[in-house]
Amino acid sequence: MAWEFHVLVVANVTATSDELLTALKEREKQGACRFTLVMPRSGDGATERLEAALKAMRDAGLGKVDGDVGDPDPVVAAIEAWDPMAFDEIVVSTLPTGVSRWLGLDLPRRLEKLTGVTVRHVVAEPQRDVRWERPPEHDDYGVLSPLAAALTRR
């Protein structure tokens, strides 16, 4: 069997982000590797979110992917999953500065100090549900428009 790198991926909200999937595909191009996703437990449906993330990774072309739901604390979840004999590096995916609680914990640097391996930090933009609707049309009363708006308000 040929040598392959084993990468521990720590992500939660950003587990299905395009930025993370792109970073993992780039990592896979550098040499054969497999990925283990650790998703800290947060609220109900953690297992469903994990399965959705693993499916997104497989759909993106990442062949060897598995995962587990860990402790709610991301540091504890990563350290519980960490095995220095099994993993070669860590990828941490967070939201941008100012939004990310994990960056407030300094998660990438803490994991690098605790494990002694390279930690790659991927910043993913939060998914936004953008809706745009045209405002309702109003009759044009010319200079009397403010008065008409006040009189027709319901």
Side-chain angles (χ1 to χ4, degrees):
M1 182 173 118
W3 174 262
E4 66 181 1
F5 290 96
H6 194 174
V7 180
L8 179 65
V9 181
V10 183
N12 194 351
V13 176
T14 60
T16 58
S17 69
D18 292 336
E19 293 88 350
L20 177 61
L21 296 176
T22 300
L24 296 180
K25 285 191 279 187
E26 287 174 7
R27 176 61 191 92
E28 191 173 48
K29 287 178 185 175
Q30 295 174 4
C33 56
R34 57 190 168 116
F35 302 97
T36 298
L37 173 63
V38 173
M39 184 177 285
R41 183 179 314 281
S42 61
D44 294 335
T47 305
E48 290 80 16
R49 284 194 316 275
L50 174 68
E51 292 303 321
L54 293 175
K55 182 181 181 320
M57 289 178 177
R58 290 182 186 113
D59 291 347
L62 300 171
K64 298 180 180 179
V65 179
D66 62 346
D68 196 19
V69 176
D71 191 86
D73 183 328
V75 176
V76 174
I79 294 302
E80 285 179 349
W82 175 252
D83 178 1
M85 299 301 289
F87 294 103
D88 300 298
E89 60 188 274
I90 300 174
V91 174
V92 175
S93 179
T94 68
L95 294 169
T97 303
V99 181
S100 175
R101 185 177 65 87
W102 289 8
L103 286 180
L105 297 171
D106 199 16
L107 182 64
R109 189 175 317 186
R110 287 177 72 182
L111 290 179
E112 194 165 32
K113 286 184 177 181
L114 289 169
T115 61
V117 298
T118 304
V119 175
R120 179 170 180 195
H121 179 212
V122 177
V123 177
E125 290 297 321
Q127 294 180 352
R128 291 189 166 87
D129 195 18
V130 178
R131 290 187 184 167
W132 185 85
E133 295 179 10
R134 181 175 292 282
E137 296 286 331
H138 294 288
D139 294 327
D140 184 21
Y141 294 105
V143 294
L144 298 176
S145 292
L147 179 61
L151 293 175
T152 59
R153 187 175 296 166
R154 295 178 191 182

